[in-house]
Amino acid sequence: MNSSAQAGVGSGALSHVYIHHPSLRCNIPESNGLFYDDANRLLICTTSSQVFSWETSPFNPDVPPSVDSISEGPILSIRFSLDKKAIAVQRSDCEIQLFNRETKQILNHKCKAGSESILGFFWSDSPLCDLAIVKTSGMDLFACDSMLNSLRLVETKKANVNWYIYTHETRLVLLASGLQCKTFNGFQLSTAGVVRLPRFEMTMARSESNSKPILSAGDLHLVTVYGRIYCLQVDREAMLLHLYRFYRDAVVQQGSLPIYSSKLSVNVVDNLLLVHQIDAKVVIIYDLFVDSRAPVSAPLPLLWRGYQVSETSSQAVNKEIESSESSTSNENIVMYEDGWTFLVPDLILDQTNKVLWKIHLDLEAISASSSDRTSLLEFLQRRKLEANKAKQLCLGIARAIILERRPATQVTQAIDVLVTAYSYSVKAGTYKEIKNENATASTPTPGASPDSERHRQSGSNIDEEVEMNLSSGSQENMFCADEQQESQLSSPAISPDELYKFVFTSVEEMMVEESEYLVAIITEFLRSISAEKLKVDLNIYVMTIKLLAYSKRFAELSLFTTNKIIEPSKEVAFQLLDSGRQNIRVRKLGLDMLRQLSLHHDYISSLVQDGYYLEALRYAQKHKVTSVRSSMFLEAAFASNDMQHLAAILRVLSELIPGFKETSEYYTFYGLLNDTSSSVAV
Amino acid sequence: MGMASMSSGTESLRLCVFDLRRGQHEGQELDKILFFYPPDLTFSTQLSVIGLSEGLITFTRLFSPEAACEVIEAERHSHVFYEAEPDIWMVMIVEKNKEIEAVWRIDALRRVLKEVHSLFVMFQGSIRALLEKEPTGGLVRSHLYPFITDYLNDLFVGKKQQLPSFRDTLKERGTVQMLTLARDAALEVQSLVGVLDSCAGTVRCHSVILFHDLLVSTTLSPDDTVDLFAFSVMRLTTNALSSGTSSWSYLRKGSGSPQISSRSTTVPPLGSGGTLPSGNGSSTGRVIRPLQHDKWSKGKDGFLVTDIWGLDATPTILIQKTQESFYLLTYQYKSLTLVLLVPIAAIVNGELDISFVKQQVIENASTKILKVEEKLSKGWGGENAYHVSGYRYLLVDNDMEVSRASPPGKVATLAKESLLALNKLREEVDTEKNRSKQEKDMEICIRAKNNTWVIARLNRGKELYMALEKASETLLDATDSVQRFSNRYCSGAFPMD
């Protein structure tokens, strides 16, 4: 995919979060309502007798809508069933209709008029029930038969309910009660059944003008971050955003974040909390993984980016769409418009202009604005969307801090972050290297995805989407296994081999003069991967030897080798022999390594090269090395101009090899020996 | 032969340092004497000893200009020669007496001379440089006398002199004893080395790390490491700082002899023509005695403190490899001793400050030091860590100047006959090594009178000496035992067939 971003409106503006053209257009003539089904991630537009729905995950602005016909009547809310075989429509505060998409049958459900009202409903994948209806008197749980002919009441949860919130991602429903609507009964409907959470109360500050503030549904946001379930509560009197974390058996307040706008909304992108301060028209990014409640970066406006050039198969259609949308966007794009609705986790619906945007992070901008390299690396290693970009940024940061000759302790911390993250990702099974860049979409594991989604073969401009596995969402999971939609990088983790290849070999060429510093960094790297019991490319040991030899630190080179900091290998042995040209001790280390590795042929050749002919012969005999020709010994001894050596080798070979005296080699070198002796005598 | 002219002294050891380039004119003979021990011998006796030595050196140079006289074996004395610097010779004369176990190996005695000189140069610079600085010789004499005397004090155990004898034949002075590290411990140590180097900013420092009395890491050359290691084990490590003696240390330590102590306060008059050192007081300066006993203690910040170089003065040493002077900072944590060398030039130029470096070590390296000490203590095998059951051995690597041996307590279990035989074997090996300039490969197996096998194997710079007292009858069994030892503990470095 080739793409380049062209900034349109807001060109050159600073931002860490952006939306970009094109958006998903849902402009249907005569439409009377826009809805979002978070369980199926469907954007739904209704007319008097039709239902249009768009898949929003994966996000594809060009996806065509599905169309269903329904009977006429008012629509208060609408949701597809999880298997998409039915559409449920709330007609009034006491009636819900179920439409079977296949058989066209209609099922009506009514509650007792006058004594209770229906507040809403949602579908469930709990084994106990399929549909939950929230009423002012509590919550009814229903099971549907396979043919959708009837609803059977399974259980009723009695409670006084003023309003409720539910997100399918968390499987959590909170029922608000009390005069101030701040007392909650919570239930989680998951594959583990229906779990009742402890009743809890939210805190609200009071002021003189408003001693009894009332909490509304719009002030609460249920989100999932790193597999943990949080509820975010807007406290307008205190101008705080309170965080509550949900466990199976407890609801724990986790602190508060300051807010700067009475109108507020929340998104989650790649496990990061985006708090939109709508009055101030800025968005603040928080990373709840770390204990610190400081923002990841300074508040900046949400940025709209212009048309992104991309390859499309249809040129004519593209031109038509381009001209049409260009006209629209020039006139109407206003950030944080009143008609905007923020949908969990990462969508913005512009009700006025009937468009849907997907929110993106700008990792490069966030990196550029962060000065703490260690925490930045930790941050990037937690990113899973755009994992490859995060990975490249981490590699760039690692190279930069070494080239800038930062203090070794700082580089050490950075290396520890990367090595630890890699080690963890290997254990968690999320690290996979790219094997085939043209891999097609993979089929998800059924167990890994309770709410199975339809996966489509799609063209370009696909934004990677990761869904969390929430089958045990209420329990503490530090990380969730990710469902992978494409065989792309699912983790920004960097293997030791990649660190060697993309960091150390890069900086080595530019830092030969700083070899002492570089050896210290490599040592920290080796210590880090050793602590995590990882392996690394053997070439890093060859590099270390070269660096130590370059700065003539032969004593330390000996220690590195003796203590096996530099692990033995054939390549290492040969590098020691090569560096040992300037230091006999180092050369001997190389020889010893060859022998210890039982590289017989190379050991014998090196012994002969150093003039240890007889020892080489003995070694060859003892280890039955047949790959070495006896003429090698004779030629080397002759070249050394030491006739004693030549005579000794001739004698030893005669003893070791039966029939050697009848060979041409013997006659040749024996003749040479005699000739030389004769000339000396003369 | 010529020993009749020499009176029989009450002392069994004589050691002298003289300069062949001096005192060549009649009446100026005393000029060549730079040091003589015992100091109370008459000048005529000193001149007699030195004259004999000088004559032999001159004579043997006719035949071997590069390697002159090495040893004189008289009936009752051995004269050991060592040319410390060009034309500056050290000669040691020891009595031979089997009854009092005075059985020597000449090379071991020569290594004593070599060590004295190396340590002297490390602290004071070369003898020749001191002579050039003050040609009358008073300066060098005032430095040599207390230094060598302090060194010899270490060789006294009680009132008995304890030069390396046949009982020390499985030791090699002038080599470093190293601690074997697991890879993860080695990485942690190397990480600490990096941190120590960074404590001085961009200035290149050196460090030597010891655990107990064993070397853990060094950034110095092997020669400089040997000298600093010897000094650290003598004076700086926790074993050295504790008042009690430790059998682990290969240098026997004890309290100084009262006899020597009383004499050291008197400097005998030296020099010809009545010229005395006191006459050149301004150029003599203050004499530093780095080898004094009980002069180091641990400060509250973990750094060792001493007033040898003066109150609040930092010790200094000279590295031979680069001829560079360094401040010596020693930090200690439990059994871990860190010797940090900071270039004096960097301090003088204002690039660094000693207290700043110390502060950096405490702030940046403390955590790492704790971790390293913990790892080394966990893997520490104790005094007998390198004992191999059934073997009494000495392993020497001449390239790395490193040795490893059976613990002294284990060696002491050998019979006297075994030790004498092994000592004699080592003498044979020394003789063979001296015949040839290049490395000698050889294997010698000797059966002693008490049926002990004593074995020597040399291979490309590595040496293995062994005594097997309970070996089987045959030579083949003995060599098989050595081969098994070699394969298992020396990674097959001695593959004789």
Side-chain angles (χ1 to χ4, degrees):
Chain A
M1 179 196 339
N2 288 323
S3 67
S4 61
Q6 282 181 346
V9 174
S11 169
L14 286 178
S15 184
H16 305 126
V17 185
Y18 67 94
I19 56 178
H20 68 75
H21 205 72
S23 57
L24 189 153
R25 306 190 59 82
C26 50
N27 193 357
I28 302 294
E30 300 176 11
S31 81
N32 55 19
L34 272 173
F35 304 89
Y36 181 68
D37 177 0
D38 70 311
N40 296 291
R41 301 200 178 201
L42 292 173
L43 180 63
I44 300 172
C45 180
T46 59
T47 64
S48 56
S49 62
Q50 283 184 311
V51 175
F52 297 82
S53 59
W54 293 261
E55 298 264 2
T56 64
S57 174
F59 189 84
N60 177 13
D62 299 321
V63 65
S66 303
V67 185
D68 294 86
S69 296
I70 59 171
S71 60
E72 294 191 13
I75 300 175
L76 301 187
S77 73
I78 179 169
R79 284 179 182 266
F80 283 65
S81 63
L82 299 187
D83 59 8
K84 295 197 172 65
K85 291 183 176 179
I87 303 174
V89 178
Q90 183 181 351
R91 294 297 195 184
S92 66
D93 62 2
C94 61
E95 184 186 6
I96 291 178
Q97 275 186 332
L98 271 61
F99 295 85
N100 190 316
R101 301 174 79 188
E102 295 168 343
T103 65
K104 307 302 179 188
Q105 272 183 254
I106 301 175
L107 179 63
N108 286 306
H109 173 78
K110 287 182 163 59
C111 69
K112 304 165 192 169
S115 65
E116 59 187 9
S117 302
I118 296 176
L119 297 171
F121 71 95
F122 55 89
W123 296 89
S124 167
D125 57 356
S126 165
L128 182 64
C129 63
D130 299 303
L131 186 72
I133 298 178
V134 183
K135 305 175 296 181
T136 52
S137 61
M139 180 168 69
D140 291 341
L141 307 179
F142 294 90
C144 302
D145 63 16
S146 57
M147 293 307 296
L148 206 66
N149 288 323
S150 65
L151 285 178
R152 175 173 54 87
L153 180 64
V154 173
E155 192 174 341
T156 296
K157 307 292 187 181
K158 292 291 187 180
N160 288 320
V161 182
N162 297 339
W163 50 261
Y164 80 102
I165 61 170
Y166 172 83
T167 61
H168 188 70
E169 187 183 39
T170 63
R171 307 300 201 266
L172 199 60
V173 58
L174 297 182
L175 312 176
S177 61
L179 288 178
Q180 294 178 254
C181 301
K182 62 176 188 175
T183 303
F184 287 88
N185 293 281
F187 299 90
Q188 192 189 39
L189 288 75
S190 67
T191 52
V194 177
V195 178
R196 174 190 284 270
L197 299 177
R199 185 187 176 99
F200 69 98
E201 198 163 295
M202 293 199 172
T203 60
M204 299 182 76
R206 63 189 66 209
S207 66
E208 291 182 8
S209 61
N210 193 357
S211 62
K212 293 209 171 190
I214 296 176
L215 191 61
S216 67
D219 291 335
L220 245 58
H221 307 272
L222 283 173
V223 299
T224 302
V225 173
Y226 297 114
R228 315 171 197 151
I229 298 175
Y230 289 91
C231 180
L232 310 175
Q233 176 214 340
V234 180
D235 189 343
R236 283 199 185 78
E237 298 299 332
M239 294 299 277
L240 287 173
L241 186 68
H242 300 306
L243 276 73
Y244 300 85
R245 182 168 172 185
F246 286 82
Y247 297 87
R248 174 173 291 267
D249 55 356
V251 178
V252 177
Q253 183 158 7
Q254 297 265 294
S256 304
L257 307 171
I259 62 178
Y260 310 98
S261 165
S262 60
K263 213 170 169 190
L264 198 102
S265 196
V266 164
N267 279 116
V268 172
V269 180
D270 201 356
N271 291 304
L272 293 174
L273 185 67
L274 273 57
V275 181
H276 300 274
Q277 323 276 326
I278 297 178
D279 291 344
K281 294 187 184 299
V282 296
V283 58
I284 306 179
I285 306 174
Y286 293 95
D287 189 354
L288 300 182
F289 187 87
V290 296
D291 291 331
S292 165
R293 293 298 176 226
V296 165
S297 54
L300 283 175
L302 178 66
L303 181 65
W304 179 83
R305 289 187 178 175
Y307 193 74
Q308 208 164 26
V309 177
S310 63
E311 298 174 355
T312 54
S313 56
S314 176
Q315 191 70 17
V317 174
N318 186 41
K319 284 181 179 177
E320 180 182 350
I321 294 173
E322 181 175 354
S323 61
S324 167
E325 291 178 352
S326 173
S327 169
T328 304
S329 61
N330 284 345
E331 296 168 11
N332 292 329
I333 289 293
V334 176
M335 309 305 288
Y336 291 112
E337 201 176 344
D338 287 347
W340 281 25
T341 301
F342 296 83
L343 306 172
V344 172
D346 57 0
L347 299 170
I348 300 176
L349 177 60
D350 184 348
Q351 306 245 15
T352 303
N353 297 297
K354 301 291 197 295
V355 294
L356 186 74
W357 311 92
K358 183 178 169 67
I359 301 175
H360 301 275
L361 293 172
D362 190 341
L363 294 179
E364 283 166 324
I366 295 172
S367 298
S369 65
S370 174
S371 63
D372 184 342
R373 295 292 209 254
T374 303
S375 53
L376 174 59
L377 287 170
E378 287 169 341
F379 170 85
L380 289 170
Q381 286 293 307
R382 288 193 289 268
R383 308 279 65 82
K384 295 193 187 303
L385 298 183
E386 295 190 297
N388 190 49
K389 184 184 283 280
K391 178 171 184 168
Q392 297 305 319
L393 286 169
C394 288
L395 288 168
I397 291 165
R399 281 191 296 266
I401 56 177
I402 297 177
L403 288 170
E404 294 163 12
R405 221 194 180 286
R406 297 297 183 99
T409 51
Q410 198 177 113
V411 182
T412 298
Q413 286 167 18
I415 288 174
D416 280 344
V417 167
L418 296 178
V419 171
T420 304
Y422 171 79
S423 178
Y424 179 79
S425 69
V426 168
K427 289 166 185 163
T430 57
Y431 179 81
K432 298 186 186 68
E433 282 183 289
I434 298 177
K435 294 182 177 178
N436 187 357
E437 291 184 357
N438 299 321
T440 56
S442 62
T443 306
T445 308
S449 176
D451 54 333
S452 60
E453 289 184 331
R454 190 188 312 160
H455 293 275
R456 298 165 52 88
Q457 194 72 27
S458 52
S460 54
N461 272 341
I462 297 294
D463 288 298
E464 185 177 327
E465 184 70 44
V466 176
E467 185 185 359
M468 314 298 280
N469 177 9
L470 297 173
S471 58
S472 57
S474 66
Q475 295 176 6
E476 179 154 358
N477 293 320
M478 297 305 291
F479 291 104
C480 285
D482 292 297
E483 175 193 340
Q484 214 176 340
Q485 297 178 354
E486 293 185 10
S487 294
Q488 287 183 9
L489 279 192
S490 64
S491 167
I494 301 167
S495 71
D497 284 356
E498 288 167 323
L499 272 175
Y500 165 73
K501 198 183 309 177
F502 298 118
V503 175
F504 289 111
T505 51
S506 299
V507 302
E508 188 214 11
E509 297 159 9
M510 294 174 268
M511 294 187 79
V512 178
E513 300 296 326
E514 307 265 3
S515 55
E516 287 101 345
Y517 173 78
L518 202 48
V519 167
I521 301 301
I522 291 173
T523 301
E524 292 299 331
F525 172 60
L526 295 175
R527 186 186 59 78
S528 198
I529 63 175
S530 176
E532 299 286 346
K533 296 183 171 53
L534 301 170
K535 288 293 180 182
V536 69
D537 192 323
L538 295 177
N539 283 308
I540 198 165
Y541 301 121
V542 174
M543 177 192 287
T544 307
I545 297 168
K546 287 177 178 173
L547 291 167
L548 287 166
Y550 178 86
S551 49
K552 298 202 183 342
R553 292 162 59 188
F554 297 114
E556 288 170 85
L557 180 43
S558 302
L559 281 176
F560 271 65
T561 308
T562 304
N563 292 326
K564 293 194 164 47
I565 291 176
I566 291 173
E567 290 190 332
S569 71
K570 180 170 180 173
E571 293 80 8
V572 163
F574 278 116
Q575 182 59 48
L576 287 169
L577 290 173
D578 189 59
S579 300
R581 288 194 227 282
Q582 23 176 347
N583 188 279
I584 188 63
R585 297 179 170 109
V586 172
R587 183 159 182 87
K588 287 191 174 181
L589 288 172
L591 278 172
D592 286 345
M593 188 174 287
L594 287 174
R595 188 188 65 248
Q596 289 162 32
L597 294 167
S598 299
L599 296 168
H600 301 312
H601 184 103
D602 299 309
Y603 180 59
I604 290 166
S605 302
S606 300
L607 280 177
V608 169
Q609 196 172 320
D610 284 4
Y612 297 103
Y613 311 111
L614 291 180
E615 183 175 349
L617 264 174
R618 278 195 298 265
Y619 188 90
Q621 181 71 11
K622 177 176 184 177
H623 292 87
K624 299 177 172 53
V625 182
T626 57
S627 61
V628 183
R629 297 173 298 105
S630 55
S631 58
M632 185 186 76
F633 301 96
L634 293 163
E635 289 158 5
F638 182 72
S640 72
N641 282 322
D642 190 332
M643 291 305 115
Q644 274 190 348
H645 277 132
L646 183 54
I649 291 172
L650 277 172
R651 178 174 49 78
V652 172
L653 285 173
S654 303
E655 294 169 5
L656 292 179
I657 303 176
F660 178 74
K661 285 188 174 180
E662 278 76 50
T663 62
S664 61
E665 284 172 341
Y666 179 82
Y667 283 114
T668 301
F669 285 97
Y670 193 79
L672 287 172
L673 183 62
N674 283 335
D675 289 349
T676 309
S677 301
S678 177
S679 67
V680 167
V682 170
Chain B
M1 189 179 110
M3 302 306 295
S5 66
M6 186 171 167
S7 63
S8 168
T10 55
E11 299 292 335
S12 61
L13 167 69
R14 291 180 179 177
L15 195 157
C16 60
V17 181
F18 57 92
D19 184 1
L20 286 185
R21 300 179 188 174
R22 298 164 61 90
Q24 293 303 316
H25 299 97
E26 189 171 354
Q28 295 178 338
E29 289 85 356
L30 288 183
D31 260 359
K32 70 185 66 174
I33 305 177
L34 303 180
F35 173 86
F36 203 99
Y37 175 91
D40 55 345
L41 292 185
T42 62
F43 286 140
S44 60
T45 305
Q46 296 184 24
L47 281 174
S48 173
V49 171
I50 292 173
L52 173 63
S53 305
E54 181 181 5
L56 284 165
I57 291 166
T58 306
F59 177 71
T60 52
R61 269 184 173 166
L62 298 176
F63 307 97
S64 178
E66 298 302 324
C69 191
E70 290 178 351
V71 64
I72 298 173
E73 293 284 7
E75 181 181 350
R76 294 199 296 119
H77 291 89
S78 298
H79 297 233
V80 183
F81 288 70
Y82 174 66
E83 187 174 13
E85 296 171 32
D87 286 332
I88 295 181
W89 285 79
M90 303 173 74
V91 177
M92 177 192 285
I93 304 169
V94 292
E95 188 180 356
K96 301 199 279 191
N97 190 331
K98 261 197 177 179
E99 278 69 38
I100 59 172
E101 298 205 339
V103 180
W104 320 107
R105 183 170 65 89
I106 299 302
D107 189 65
L109 298 178
R110 181 176 296 111
R111 284 177 177 266
V112 171
L113 300 176
K114 183 166 156 52
E115 183 168 83
V116 175
H117 176 255
S118 291
L119 291 173
F120 184 84
V121 172
M122 184 166 79
F123 288 110
Q124 316 284 18
S126 71
I127 296 173
R128 182 64 66 196
L130 289 173
L131 281 169
E132 287 166 356
K133 187 176 176 184
E134 203 262 276
T136 63
L139 180 67
V140 69
R141 291 191 186 101
S142 63
H143 281 74
L144 276 170
Y145 178 76
F147 191 91
I148 301 182
T149 305
D150 288 334
Y151 180 92
L152 293 177
N153 277 341
D154 273 13
L155 300 181
F156 279 89
V157 178
K159 292 201 173 184
K160 187 182 178 183
Q161 214 158 56
Q162 195 67 56
L163 287 166
S165 68
F166 69 100
R167 295 200 176 274
D168 303 299
T169 196
L170 283 180
K171 285 173 186 166
E172 192 76 326
R173 187 180 294 253
T175 55
V176 169
Q177 285 75 58
M178 292 206 68
L179 181 70
T180 298
L181 299 173
R183 184 170 190 264
D184 62 317
L187 281 163
E188 209 66 52
V189 166
Q190 198 57 45
S191 179
L192 172 56
V193 171
V195 172
L196 291 177
D197 196 22
S198 67
C199 286
T202 55
V203 176
R204 186 73 223 279
C205 292
H206 285 284
S207 67
V208 174
I209 301 177
L210 299 95
F211 181 69
H212 286 283
D213 283 352
L214 298 174
L215 186 80
V216 170
S217 95
T218 176
T219 63
L220 297 172
S221 70
D223 287 341
D224 288 310
T225 301
V226 165
D227 297 337
L228 194 49
F229 175 82
F231 178 69
S232 300
V233 170
M234 290 168 70
R235 295 287 181 270
L236 300 180
T237 59
T238 46
N239 285 334
L241 290 185
S242 63
S243 55
T245 57
S246 168
S247 61
W248 174 257
S249 171
Y250 80 111
L251 286 173
R252 309 273 184 88
K253 292 191 293 290
S255 60
S257 165
Q259 192 176 21
I260 294 294
S261 298
S262 63
R263 285 181 190 160
S264 65
T265 57
T266 305
V267 178
L270 294 172
S272 67
T275 304
L276 297 178
S278 58
N280 304 275
S282 60
S283 62
T284 301
R286 191 177 166 278
V287 176
I288 294 167
R289 295 173 55 191
L291 296 189
Q292 285 181 87
H293 255 293
D294 300 324
K295 281 291 185 174
W296 292 84
S297 63
K298 191 169 173 179
K300 58 196 175 202
D301 58 358
F303 283 93
L304 300 193
V305 294
T306 180
D307 59 358
I308 292 174
W309 279 261
L311 286 175
D312 294 332
T314 307
T316 60
I317 64 167
L318 174 76
I319 293 300
Q320 297 190 51
K321 176 97 173 178
T322 57
Q323 290 296 306
E324 194 178 355
S325 293
F326 289 86
Y327 283 117
L328 183 89
L329 306 176
T330 307
Y331 182 86
Q332 213 160 69
Y333 173 71
K334 295 187 178 176
S335 296
L336 195 69
T337 302
L338 284 69
V339 183
L340 192 59
L341 304 179
V342 183
I344 289 180
I347 306 292
V348 170
N349 295 344
E351 300 170 40
L352 274 181
D353 180 67
I354 289 292
S355 56
F356 171 79
V357 173
K358 287 184 172 181
Q359 192 63 34
Q360 288 288 101
V361 169
I362 292 168
E363 286 176 4
N364 297 344
S366 285
T367 304
K368 190 71 72 173
I369 288 167
L370 260 71
K371 190 183 285 189
V372 166
E373 198 278 334
E374 183 182 307
K375 265 191 195 292
L376 298 185
S377 295
K378 194 175 297 180
W380 174 235
E383 264 191 30
N384 293 334
Y386 301 122
H387 169 57
V388 180
S389 183
Y391 294 88
R392 302 294 184 266
Y393 71 93
L394 167 67
L395 184 62
V396 181
D397 184 335
N398 288 307
D399 293 315
M400 306 300 175
E401 302 188 50
V402 162
S403 73
R404 172 164 294 178
S406 292
K410 300 294 181 181
V411 174
T413 65
L414 289 173
K416 182 176 175 179
E417 286 292 337
S418 308
L419 290 166
L420 286 170
L422 191 51
N423 199 59
K424 182 146 187 65
L425 171 60
R426 290 205 64 183
E427 288 237 283
E428 294 290 331
V429 171
D430 292 338
T431 303
E432 283 299 315
K433 284 163 69 180
N434 289 331
R435 285 183 197 278
S436 168
K437 289 179 183 176
Q438 66 190 39
E439 290 167 341
K440 197 91 176 183
D441 288 359
M442 70 176 87
E443 177 177 14
I444 303 178
C445 299
I446 294 178
R447 192 183 193 121
K449 287 186 238 173
N450 61 342
N451 284 332
T452 296
W453 285 103
V454 292
I455 297 164
R457 280 194 182 181
L458 279 71
N459 182 262
R460 286 191 297 115
K462 290 185 168 65
E463 302 175 11
L464 175 62
Y465 302 98
M466 193 167 284
L468 300 169
E469 278 193 340
K470 296 182 177 177
S472 303
E473 296 294 319
T474 67
L475 172 64
L476 187 61
D477 291 325
T479 54
D480 279 351
S481 292
V482 177
Q483 191 61 48
R484 280 197 300 273
F485 181 93
S486 168
N487 289 339
R488 187 164 178 182
Y489 299 102
C490 316
S491 60
F494 301 95
M496 295 286 194
D497 274 304

